């Protein structure tokens, strides 16, 4: 068996641990529930026990190259402490790396989960062919990551790429971060649920109201299913998601001029329902996009007619290929890169 690494995706709901070989083949994946209510020490115990089990199982004949861990929230790279994590309540100022290294008696690499997802898509997913890219991850919240020259762009202390908290509505909804009108308030699974509830409360969204009352697990996925079936109210919600993402990506394209922007995370499975609005906003708002869009991407003759034939490099906006596993593969990739 080829040499391998262990990747961990620590989420607010699921804790996933995988052994992945240097060719990117998944050897084994373990999914546990994150037992948040029991506190950080128990969650870290669960994590370390699974890491130990996997590494012992496969170390016979091949080398364990290291352990990479993706965690949600803002991490201080220098101290590897979680500063702030809405998905891990009670973990603020937890010295996560130190705690894990104490349990495993080996060094681990800690990374923000969206940065790990960016790295996963860069390694094995949509962004395999480019060295520079950005990812926008849509889940309970909205995360982001930037890869430049094949490396994660951390910024001064690891906090770069917080796309979810950029402003798209100056006087918009109040966000948990203290700002108003953050992308996260309009393009996350929580935002989809908020919009669905508001539509139901208006009394003019009968299909949504029926689904919500008959399905005890009514979720963003259920809203998406209604949109696919053609329900106008559900479709409007995803159009809002696309609009918010389109404004964000238009800003990113003007700022960064990267060859690729990938939309990932659980909500990205609704790509068909919101992506037309992303391209609509880009065409209206983004000069750099108008000059660099590939003709096939927009389906809009107006934009493609403006593509400069001299510009051979195009701006690609696409969905993630690895789905919710991107962060897991990216986390496993971290120690492989470091060992090169
Ligand atoms: Zn915010």
């Amino acid at each position: 068996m080829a040499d391998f690494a262990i990747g961990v995706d620590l989420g607010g709901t699921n804790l996933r641990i995988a052994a992945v070989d240097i060719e990117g083949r998944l050897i084994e994946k373990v999914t546990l529930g994150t037992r948040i209510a029991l506190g950080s020490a128990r969650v870290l115990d669960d994590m370390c026990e699974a890491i130990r089990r996997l590494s012992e199982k496969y170390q016979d004949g091949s080398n364990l190259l290291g352990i990479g861990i993706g965690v949600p929230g803002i991490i201080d790279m220098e101290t590897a402490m979680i500063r702030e994590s809405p998905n891990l309540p009670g973990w603020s100022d937890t010295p996560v790396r130190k705690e894990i290294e104490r349990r495993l008696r080996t060094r681990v690499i800690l990374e923000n989960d969206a940065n790990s997802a960016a790295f996963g898509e860069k390694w094995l997913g949509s962004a395999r062919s480019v060295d520079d890219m950005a990812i926008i991850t849509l889940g309970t919240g909205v995360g982001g990551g930037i890869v430049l020259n094949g490396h994660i762009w951390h910024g001064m202390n690891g906090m770069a790429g917080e796309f979810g908290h950029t402003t798209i509505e100056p006087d918009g909804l109040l966000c948990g971060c203290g700002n108003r009108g953050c992308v996260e308030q309009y393009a996350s699974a929580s935002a989809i649920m908020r919009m669905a509830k508001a539509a139901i409360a208006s009394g003019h969204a009968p299909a949504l109201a029926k689904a919500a009352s008959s399905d005890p697990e009514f979720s963003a996925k259920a809203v998406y299913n209604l949109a696919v079936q053609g329900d106008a109210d559900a479709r409007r919600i995803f159009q809002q998601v696309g609009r918010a993402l389109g404004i964000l990506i238009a800003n990113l394209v003007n700022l960064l001029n990267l060859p690729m922007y990938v939309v990932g995370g659980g909500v990205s499975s609704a790509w068909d329902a919101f992506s037309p609005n992303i391209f609509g906003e880009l065409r209206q708002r983004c000069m750099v996009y108008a000059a660099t869009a590939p003709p096939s991407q927009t389906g809009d003759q107006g934009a493609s007619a403006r593509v400069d034939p001299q510009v051979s490099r195009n701006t690609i906006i696409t969905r993630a290929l690895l789905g919710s596993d991107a962060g897991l593969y990216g986390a496993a990739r971290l120690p492989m890169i470091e060992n090169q």
Side-chain angles (χ1 to χ4, degrees), residues 49-283:
E49 196 190 310
I51 292 172
R52 219 175 285 127
R53 207 155 11 93
L54 275 185
S55 55
E56 282 167 10
K57 188 167 169 187
Y58 296 104
Q59 261 190 93
D60 200 17
S62 46
N63 290 319
L64 173 64
L65 298 171
I67 297 156
I69 300 169
V71 298
I74 295 181
I75 313 163
D76 188 316
M77 289 304 285
E78 207 169 309
T79 58
M81 298 229 312
I82 292 184
R83 282 293 182 80
E84 208 53 72
S85 182
N87 291 339
L88 298 174
W91 287 54
S92 293
D93 297 325
T94 302
V96 178
R97 187 174 68 201
K98 211 171 115 198
E99 285 295 317
I100 296 169
E101 289 181 341
R102 188 173 63 76
R103 285 169 171 79
L104 295 175
R105 296 204 176 86
T106 182
R107 226 173 65 76
V108 300
I109 302 174
L110 208 65
E111 186 55 83
N112 166 273
D113 58 353
N115 287 348
S116 300
F119 222 34
E121 286 294 324
K122 161 77 195 89
W123 185 28
L124 302 167
S126 295
R128 280 190 311 269
S129 60
V130 295
D131 280 333
D132 306 307
M133 56 88 72
I135 194 168
I136 300 114
T137 59
L138 310 178
T140 313
V142 174
I146 303 169
V147 171
L148 298 178
N149 292 323
H151 296 279
I152 293 165
W153 174 254
H154 285 112
M156 180 175 61
N157 43 15
M159 300 175 190
E162 282 295 331
F163 302 148
H165 298 286
T166 53
T167 306
I168 55 161
E169 300 278 1
D171 303 309
L173 293 164
L174 189 62
C175 181
C177 74
N179 184 25
R180 279 189 182 276
C182 289
V183 175
E184 183 162 297
Q185 296 303 313
Y186 304 90
S188 59
S190 327
I192 291 167
M193 289 308 288
R194 174 187 56 76
M195 290 189 272
K197 283 175 187 158
I200 292 165
S202 77
H204 299 295
L208 282 169
K210 190 167 163 230
S213 62
S214 63
D215 181 357
E217 288 174 16
F218 184 66
S219 63
K221 179 92 175 80
V223 181
Y224 172 63
N225 289 339
L226 281 176
V228 170
Q229 289 160 28
D231 179 62
D233 303 300
R235 287 172 62 106
R236 244 190 313 277
I237 290 172
F238 282 94
Q239 286 160 7
Q240 290 300 311
V241 170
R243 177 177 182 273
L245 289 174
I247 297 171
L248 167 66
I249 297 172
N251 288 335
L252 294 179
V253 171
N254 276 344
L255 269 170
L256 300 168
N257 189 209
L258 300 173
M260 187 174 285
Y261 303 81
V262 177
V263 180
V267 177
S268 69
S269 53
W271 173 257
D272 293 343
F274 63 70
S275 59
N277 292 82
I278 293 183
F279 293 114
E281 294 298 325
L282 277 165
R283 286 195 297 274

Side-chain angles (χ1 to χ4, degrees), residues 21-42:
D21 78 12
I22 44 170
E23 304 298 333
R25 285 179 296 243
L26 180 69
I27 301 167
E28 185 176 342
K29 178 164 81 172
V30 179
T31 303
L32 307 169
T34 309
R35 300 195 290 170
I36 287 283
L38 301 181
S40 61
R42 288 294 287 276

